[in-house]
Amino acid sequence: MDLSDELVKKTICRTEPAYKRIGGCDIEPPNPCCFVIFGASGDLTKRKLIPSLYRLHKNNLLPENFFVLGTGRVEMSADKFREDMLATVKETFPNDFNHTCWKELAAKLYYSPLDYSSSESYKKSLANQLPVLEERHKTNKNRIFYLAIPPAVFEDVIVNLGNTGLSHEDGGYAHIVVEKPFGRDLESAKRLNSILKKSFQEHQVYRIDHYLAKETVQDIMMFRFANSIFEPLWNNKYIDYVQITVAETIGIEQRAGYYEETGVIRDMFPNHILQLLALTAMEPPASFDADSVRDERIKVFRSMRPFPLDRLDEYVVTGQYGSGKMNGKNVVGYREEPGVSRESTTLTFAAMKIFVDNWRWKGIPFYLRSGKRLLSRKTEIAIQFKPVPHMMFSNLLNEPIQPNTLVFRVQPDEGINLVFQAKEPGSKVCLRPVVMDFSYQGEILLDAYEWVLLDCMRGDTMLSVREDAVEQTWRFLTPVIDRLESAIKPEKFSNYAAGSSGPAEAALLIERDGRKWRSL
């Protein structure tokens, strides 16, 4: 069934939001607004933003009064911009493209070339054009500035938006959306936040992490705090350890320039992985609102035990992929990728053991790992519970009983499963692990980027990362990155083959504690 069949308009009054029904629940679509996309000719706009806006429009979740103004360094007409976006939407949705819906959205797409560093260009391309388009589309001066551009250009855009007065909220809102990475260390994160604060107030800033908008990730809080059977067990008395895995099969995908400056720790850990950890470990918020939830997430970051830099190898393992086979095909190693130095020490794999020092989690390790060119694509959070305190069946069984495991599958097959023991049918005392499984397959009505864009338009910052959280995660990781980068020698790499589960040292990191990684 098409999603639009599940949307029920409950009011036709446009002065108040029209509630729509999606999957049996009412959601509040946004008020009139415009999207100004910086980097509109770039990869992010083509792969994610325009396809997501098309889907939202197709499913009646965009306001009637809405438009997109794309900007960028590339000189092109609005018609050429529409043609390019049509091609990418058709490619993204080959079996779900509706020409009528596209024509409706295309009529609201515009483009204006922009020199990011020139204030005169902002006056000509934005300050003069926006009021005309806002009057035409009746968007009530509600503006969203989306930075789909490299981090090196952030400052120019933010400063010029402030200098030209476009960041001011005059009768409507002005939101700015910043994609990760939010800096490359603590100093640069503080600098970016300082630049933002000169032009925007914190409530206007949306530092988005689309992982937080995935259905299973959003469901972690619901699972924990809407059910009474698990939260009493969610502590160091019953949980043995937690594993968080973000494994990718892809390499760097023609992004050598970005990845050589970033590496896996900067790319994945301050945002995706530590945000997953925070949702797993946080205390119950007083209420389900953005500030209360984000207050609890930052408490987790402040409770993370600093790494002992003199014994870092006991807590952190790094790697870089070499050549190998993926799906039966030979693939090159990282250093053979186009644009990568033949002596590069950039990390493509990292595993960490982290402790959260508070009453709930004292002594419980969180094992984190992420890497490229690994055996399979998988993102999951696995809660491993402790064995039963007394094994009454030990004299009847030939092997240990597997403890209970609760797994949040974030991708690719979103869902939740619980492993528990049950009697084997036809036996007197023979146990086997069985799985209680809940799957979202076929039920994902909005993808992560669609939720993020909706929240930016609705003014909901719950899935946005706050200034203090950005700085705290970098405060935790920057000393580790500095120590690793000062000590890594080129001859160490490569140390794992493409298509494997990562470096052998990563297995030792967890096996020293009598545990093992879950299979990829």
Side-chain angles (χ1 to χ4, degrees), residues 225-242:
F225 305 132
N227 298 294
S228 62
I229 61 174
F230 285 105
E231 189 58 24
L233 311 180
W234 214 262
N235 54 57
N236 56 8
K237 183 176 179 181
Y238 296 100
I239 292 176
D240 187 26
Y241 61 93
V242 177

Side-chain angles (χ1 to χ4, degrees), residues 222-412:
M222 312 299 176
F223 183 91
R224 289 184 57 190
F225 305 132
N227 298 294
S228 62
I229 61 174
F230 285 105
E231 189 58 24
L233 311 180
W234 214 262
N235 54 57
N236 56 8
K237 183 176 179 181
Y238 296 100
I239 292 176
D240 187 26
Y241 61 93
V242 177
Q243 279 189 36
I244 300 176
T245 295
V246 181
E248 298 181 292
T249 55
I250 60 172
I252 56 173
E253 304 280 275
Q254 290 82 49
R255 295 195 306 156
Y258 166 77
Y259 211 80
E260 277 285 86
E261 293 296 320
T262 308
V264 69
I265 297 181
R266 289 189 176 94
D267 189 42
M268 300 299 292
F269 281 77
N271 35 75
H272 298 340
I273 295 180
L274 290 185
Q275 290 295 335
L276 295 180
L277 185 154
L279 286 169
T280 305
M282 64 186 279
E283 295 297 319
S287 60
F288 191 65
D289 62 76
D291 282 339
S292 296
V293 171
R294 297 195 296 178
D295 284 346
E296 297 305 328
R297 294 208 303 254
I298 185 64
K299 289 177 185 177
V300 175
F301 298 143
R302 290 171 179 155
S303 299
M304 293 188 303
R305 184 190 304 174
F307 288 102
L309 298 180
D310 57 337
R311 296 181 289 114
L312 199 56
D313 59 343
E314 298 176 19
Y315 293 85
V316 179
V317 169
T318 60
Q320 182 189 96
Y321 66 84
S323 59
K325 285 193 173 184
M326 304 292 302
N327 298 321
K329 296 181 179 179
N330 293 325
V331 295
V332 299
Y334 178 76
R335 289 176 175 175
E336 286 72 53
E337 299 276 13
V340 174
S341 167
R342 293 302 177 261
E343 293 190 348
S344 174
T345 56
T346 298
L347 305 176
T348 64
F349 178 95
M352 299 182 181
K353 179 168 68 172
I354 289 177
F355 289 93
V356 177
D357 286 340
N358 59 23
W359 278 29
R360 182 185 291 265
W361 296 108
K362 184 71 173 179
I364 301 302
F366 287 74
Y367 298 101
L368 320 177
R369 60 175 168 168
S370 182
K372 290 190 174 293
R373 287 294 190 208
L374 294 175
L375 179 62
S376 66
R377 175 174 175 256
K378 177 183 289 188
T379 299
E380 68 174 25
I381 304 165
I383 314 296
Q384 185 77 26
F385 289 91
K386 292 181 177 180
V388 294
H390 172 65
M391 180 49 64
M392 59 183 288
F393 307 109
S394 59
N395 61 330
L396 301 172
L397 301 174
N398 296 323
E399 57 186 23
I401 293 178
Q402 178 183 339
N404 305 123
T405 307
L406 177 67
V407 180
F408 295 91
R409 303 189 310 273
V410 178
Q411 64 182 23

Side-chain angles (χ1 to χ4, degrees), residues 48-313:
K48 295 294 184 181
L49 301 185
I50 295 300
S52 294
L53 289 172
Y54 164 78
R55 272 255 304 166
L56 290 172
H57 173 72
K58 182 174 182 289
N59 294 310
N60 199 28
L61 286 170
L62 286 182
E64 181 178 331
N65 299 322
F66 172 82
F67 70 89
V68 174
L69 175 58
T71 70
R73 290 170 172 162
V74 176
E75 292 279 345
M76 75 169 96
S77 66
D79 286 339
K80 179 64 167 62
F81 178 58
R82 294 181 189 114
E83 289 174 12
D84 289 351
M85 296 305 107
L86 170 60
T88 196
V89 169
K90 280 185 171 181
E91 182 181 353
T92 305
F93 306 111
N95 301 316
D96 191 30
F97 179 78
N98 183 295
H99 189 70
T100 301
C101 287
W102 171 254
K103 284 182 67 176
E104 292 171 356
L105 180 62
K108 301 177 181 182
L109 300 184
Y110 303 88
Y111 184 86
S112 182
L114 179 72
D115 180 348
Y116 295 140
S117 61
S118 167
S119 58
E120 283 301 313
S121 186
Y122 285 76
K123 293 176 184 177
K124 177 182 176 182
S125 297
L126 295 181
N128 294 339
Q129 286 199 46
L130 274 176
V132 176
L133 293 173
E134 287 171 332
E135 177 61 28
R136 180 184 305 170
H137 291 278
K138 309 299 181 187
T139 55
N140 300 338
K141 296 184 179 180
N142 291 325
R143 301 167 177 175
I144 297 169
F145 301 106
Y146 201 110
L147 306 192
I149 51 178
V153 195
F154 283 176
E155 182 171 353
D156 282 342
V157 173
I158 295 165
V159 169
N160 278 301
L161 286 174
N163 289 344
T164 53
L166 290 166
S167 63
H168 300 162
E169 298 188 311
D170 180 19
Y173 63 69
H175 297 163
I176 185 166
V177 184
V178 184
E179 287 258 358
K180 71 150 180 100
F182 315 121
R184 56 177 285 108
D185 54 22
L186 178 58
E187 181 180 351
S188 59
K190 285 183 173 181
R191 175 173 170 76
L192 176 58
N193 283 335
S194 175
I195 293 166
L196 282 165
K197 283 193 287 190
K198 289 178 181 177
S199 298
F200 294 88
Q201 298 179 52
E202 180 63 22
H203 76 271
Q204 296 176 268
V205 181
Y206 290 71
R207 302 172 189 84
I208 67 161
D209 184 343
H210 70 276
Y211 261 57
L212 293 179
K214 291 183 177 291
E215 289 290 355
T216 306
V217 175
Q218 293 188 70
D219 203 20
I220 294 172
M221 281 194 294
M222 312 299 176
F223 183 91
R224 289 184 57 190
F225 305 132
N227 298 294
S228 62
I229 61 174
F230 285 105
E231 189 58 24
L233 311 180
W234 214 262
N235 54 57
N236 56 8
K237 183 176 179 181
Y238 296 100
I239 292 176
D240 187 26
Y241 61 93
V242 177
Q243 279 189 36
I244 300 176
T245 295
V246 181
E248 298 181 292
T249 55
I250 60 172
I252 56 173
E253 304 280 275
Q254 290 82 49
R255 295 195 306 156
Y258 166 77
Y259 211 80
E260 277 285 86
E261 293 296 320
T262 308
V264 69
I265 297 181
R266 289 189 176 94
D267 189 42
M268 300 299 292
F269 281 77
N271 35 75
H272 298 340
I273 295 180
L274 290 185
Q275 290 295 335
L276 295 180
L277 185 154
L279 286 169
T280 305
M282 64 186 279
E283 295 297 319
S287 60
F288 191 65
D289 62 76
D291 282 339
S292 296
V293 171
R294 297 195 296 178
D295 284 346
E296 297 305 328
R297 294 208 303 254
I298 185 64
K299 289 177 185 177
V300 175
F301 298 143
R302 290 171 179 155
S303 299
M304 293 188 303
R305 184 190 304 174
F307 288 102
L309 298 180
D310 57 337
R311 296 181 289 114
L312 199 56
D313 59 343

Side-chain angles (χ1 to χ4, degrees), residues 480-498:
V480 177
I481 295 172
D482 290 346
R483 176 61 64 94
L484 289 171
E485 291 183 341
S486 67
I488 291 177
K489 294 180 172 57
E491 57 268 22
K492 176 184 176 181
F493 298 137
S494 62
N495 63 343
Y496 72 96

